[in-house]
Amino acid sequence: MKKHFDPAQIEEKLYNFWEVNNYFKPDLKYKKSNFCIILPPPNITGDLHIGHAFQYTIMDILIRYNRMKGKNTFWQVGTDHAGIATQIVLEKKILLEDKKTLKECGKKNFIKKAWKWKEKLSKNITNQMRRLGMSVDWSKEKFTLDSEMSYAVREAFIVLYNQKLIYKRKKLVNWDPILKTVVSDLEVKHCDSKNSMWYIKYFIINDDTNLTHNVQQHKYLIVATTRPETLFGDTAIAVHPEDMRYSTLIGKKVLVPLINRVIPIIGDNFVKMKKGTGCVKITPAHDFNDFDVSLRHNLPMINVFTEDGNISHIAKEYNINGEPSFLYSEEIPIRFQNLNRFVAREKILKELIKNQQLDKTEIQNVTLAYGDRSNSIIEPFLTDQWYLNVSLLAKQASKVVQDGYISFIPKKYEKIYFSWMKNVKDWCISRQLWWGHQIPIWYDLHHNIYVGHNECEIRKKYMLPNNIKLKQDKNVLDTWFSSGLWVFASLGWPKKTKILNMFYPTNIIVSGFDIIFFWISRMIMLSIHFIKDTNIFSKVPFKIAYITGLICDENGKKMSKSKGNVIDPLDIIDGITLENLIKKRTKNMLQPSLKNQILKNTTKTFPNGIDATGVDALRFTCSSLSNQTKYINWNLHRLYICRNFCNKLWNASRFVLLNLNKELLMQGKKVILSTTDKWIMLKLNITIKKYRIALDTYRFDIASSILHEFIWKTFCDFYIELVKSFITSCSKLELIGTQRTMLYVLESILRLAHPIIPFITEEIWQKVRIFLDIKKNTNSIILRPFPKYKERLKNKSILKDMKWIRDVFLIVRQHRMNVKLSYKESISIYFKNINLEVQKMIEKYKEYLKNVLYLKSITIFSGKKNKSLFSTYLIRETEILIPISKKFLREIELRKVEKEILKVSLKIDQLQLRLSNQKFLDNASFEIIKNTRNRLVQFQLIHNQLSLKKKMLF
């Protein structure tokens, strides 16, 4: 073994070795139990970040652990096409490089470029996965737009449509006016900001036959709104039925300002009497709460915006079923048509002021919804979309968790799951994009609908002649739709593949808490619905949903590219300079105004950049951070501790290998195990039990702590230290026993640690392997069995005795450090205040302690000796006294004198500075100046005395 551990020299070499030898592939002829994990497919739009590394480490630990337990493991890997994100990034790329808009590029050319770009990005991501040591079967890699996946997605849509669970309807959605598409709740961020609240007068009328004469000029309702531009879509004014101010007005009518539309005053419990004026304008086509009110009161819905967020030329009206209506359909005044919604707002306000219809304006805290990708203010928008009715699916999905077929870890997330599933609404599954699974619906010229995989199949199925023109629906499916099918479609569904038959249901899914509803629940719903089996256990997609916390930066802030606080795992593995890190974080910024802040924060957090630590240190850090909290702060200090841990393991392994003799190890079956050897075997056995319990209960943080404690403190800092001296003085049989023990314990440690730190353990194991009596075809630690706890291996007395020996060892070692004495330089120790138990321990282990601690003698202290010439240490009531040399006593005194001289010198400098300050001399009283001078003289005398004493000590 090389003297120093260098991860860069081994990682790529070892991963290639594993991959070439097919160690990650499952055996499709295997008869034993199977273990399968489906990788949550990362988006192809960018590189993996530290959050990915965190979750992938957990998954790889589970795969490697179960493989070593003898299970047939399979880790299905793949990437997601990421509809919106990919289209945004590629649209900017085309504009920058080709100087063309998306429309100018054209759909066909855009799709061609997207596939080419995908190939490049996928290679980047898979390279990162390999660098992280992920033991996945790359031959089974999938992409959510692959032909097999596309077929599965279309098949799922067709089945659900034929079951009348998919339908098309005009409803209110989150609309991004920049992207011109529906976005899911997950793609909407809510930000608090200061915004104006405008109070507008709505005049009450007696009847609507003659508006000019029936307006009650002195009677009006004041309505508070943050969005006056939506008043063209008002269809009612709502008040609380029990509000005494307005209850008599319910059923009467008011005029909408500027357009004089007559709308009713309604009573609804949704209105909060103490908020604002207690009057709320109802605009069903542009507010989700108002939409719900309209359903309860059968109000029409009026859309006044275009897809790009401008004011439309006509107010388009629809009934509660989304069908066109003509009760309020009318042209919007021409002066507002085609104006941007915020420009229109200013113009509307000016007219309201002119007409004396604006009562007042106030500044309030308002929560605004922004598109996560475009940073545009999201508009609730009434539009035709495709929906999946999930009410029945949600009930089934809730039941399997309630009945224990699927467990959440931590269990607290079950409550969140049930809460979401109880209030679930029909899922909008269509998106207005080019990149994605195009909806398998075709229309003829009369808008008749046909569903099928392709036009050829539809013509055959519906017996349509070629002269009937068909056009496919332009929309694509929500990315989450294909992701919802991922767990079984990636295994081959709807075909009955061998992989699907062997590994479905999978064992565990590892995911973040922020997508329990968006992904976990949808996978459960769709899997139960599509997998045909009478046994409910065979229908669920996984048995355990392991929910991780969210990795945040050092200050507890969520990592994002826009904030410039994302960490690339490769920058930890390979290291990066501060200059390159800043360049990386400020490249292609969506918000250039944040550049200076990012530069400042990065420089403060990483003044020297990031040191290279290798994969194992990163993985061990991720494992140690995997507690059950919701938000986890990334910790660079902990990363460096984990790097030191890897170095410690390397150095200890090197010591063991340097002290192994193969010929000696093969001699004789009968050996003598020292007390230390017996003890380390017992401690190893206890560690194996605790460690396996931690892994089996998914407490990877506890498992890491157990491993760190045993390897660093027990094996390296105690056992190895005792062995160093023991092997120089023991008998041949004892030496064989110690060598065999060192070999067994080290190899067991490597097998225990391999799931968490695979590279360093494989590299060391390859060196250890030549001393092992194992099968010839066992060429990797991957093929070795995971250590098992041995129930019969127990000995409480040795554990108790070694606790006492360890206490003595630590004291002697600390003393050597204090007096700067080599561990090979022998010393004497004395015991004082001993009881009968300690006396027996001394007699039993006297010779052993002398050998392993390099002691001249061990003696019971007599009262005749001068105790001041000893360093005294305490083990409970027992004192351990170790003689101090006169030379060392002189050194201690010298250090003490030098420390005093430094203190006095500082005082002298302070007093001289004060007395040289003219301002002090002019303003201070005579007494104060005199006392200051006297103190200076005193400290100067003390300084002279100390200097003389120091000279004498030399």
Side-chain angles (χ1 to χ4, degrees), residues 256-311:
V256 177
L258 305 185
I259 55 173
N260 287 337
R261 180 187 299 142
V262 178
I263 58 173
I265 300 170
I266 62 172
D268 196 283
N269 292 333
F270 149 74
V271 181
K272 295 176 181 176
M273 289 187 276
K274 293 183 180 179
K275 187 175 180 180
T277 61
C279 300
V280 178
K281 73 188 199 70
I282 304 301
T283 316
H286 300 288
D287 185 281
F288 289 101
N289 290 323
D290 294 2
F291 182 82
D292 292 338
V293 172
S294 73
L295 296 179
R296 290 193 289 272
H297 295 271
N298 198 21
L299 296 173
M301 300 176 287
I302 302 175
N303 189 14
V304 298
F305 290 141
T306 59
E307 289 182 354
D308 53 6
N310 293 341
I311 302 294

Side-chain angles (χ1 to χ4, degrees), residues 479-520:
T479 304
W480 292 105
F481 187 83
S482 54
S483 297
L485 307 170
W486 177 251
V487 73
F488 56 90
S490 64
L491 297 175
W493 184 93
K495 294 178 183 177
K496 294 181 180 179
T497 63
K498 199 162 190 177
I499 288 279
L500 181 66
N501 184 53
M502 285 183 76
F503 293 106
Y504 190 94
T506 63
N507 294 76
I508 186 170
I509 196 77
V510 177
S511 184
F513 69 84
D514 51 339
I515 56 172
I516 291 174
F517 175 69
F518 293 95
W519 192 45
I520 300 290

Side-chain angles (χ1 to χ4, degrees), residues 387-557:
Y387 290 87
L388 174 61
N389 184 338
V390 294
S391 55
L392 179 62
L393 305 183
K395 285 179 184 176
Q396 294 172 337
S398 294
K399 195 172 188 310
V400 293
V401 175
Q402 199 170 357
D403 293 348
Y405 296 111
I406 297 175
S407 301
F408 276 80
I409 296 175
K411 197 172 176 63
K412 64 183 178 183
Y413 288 110
E414 285 185 10
K415 288 183 180 177
I416 296 172
Y417 175 80
F418 288 133
S419 174
W420 277 335
M421 298 307 277
K422 186 179 178 182
N423 300 302
V424 70
K425 293 181 179 178
D426 287 359
W427 174 12
C428 178
I429 58 173
S430 51
R431 296 291 182 268
Q432 290 62 56
L433 302 168
W434 286 351
W435 180 244
H437 297 278
Q438 195 167 349
I439 291 175
I441 289 287
W442 276 258
Y443 306 94
D444 62 19
L445 295 175
H446 301 287
H447 303 292
N448 294 311
I449 290 177
Y450 306 94
V451 60
H453 282 278
N454 51 58
E455 188 176 336
C456 184
E457 179 189 288
I458 285 170
R459 288 189 181 279
K460 190 175 179 181
K461 178 182 175 182
Y462 293 96
M463 294 182 290
L464 298 174
N466 290 332
N467 62 346
I468 294 179
K469 290 185 178 180
L470 296 176
K471 197 172 183 181
Q472 190 174 358
D473 194 303
K474 291 181 180 179
N475 294 330
V476 298
L477 288 162
D478 177 15
T479 304
W480 292 105
F481 187 83
S482 54
S483 297
L485 307 170
W486 177 251
V487 73
F488 56 90
S490 64
L491 297 175
W493 184 93
K495 294 178 183 177
K496 294 181 180 179
T497 63
K498 199 162 190 177
I499 288 279
L500 181 66
N501 184 53
M502 285 183 76
F503 293 106
Y504 190 94
T506 63
N507 294 76
I508 186 170
I509 196 77
V510 177
S511 184
F513 69 84
D514 51 339
I515 56 172
I516 291 174
F517 175 69
F518 293 95
W519 192 45
I520 300 290
S521 64
R522 285 167 178 172
M523 277 196 292
I524 297 172
M525 285 192 286
L526 294 172
S527 298
I528 294 170
H529 188 76
F530 282 110
I531 299 300
K532 305 300 178 188
D533 202 299
T534 53
N535 182 1
I536 191 66
F537 274 115
S538 301
K539 289 171 73 68
V540 297
F542 34 77
K543 296 156 191 172
I544 291 167
Y546 178 85
I547 308 300
T548 68
L550 186 72
I551 294 287
C552 303
D553 68 11
E554 296 81 359
N555 302 310
K557 292 180 179 177

Side-chain angles (χ1 to χ4, degrees), residues 133 207 442 634:
D207 61 65
W442 276 258
W634 180 249

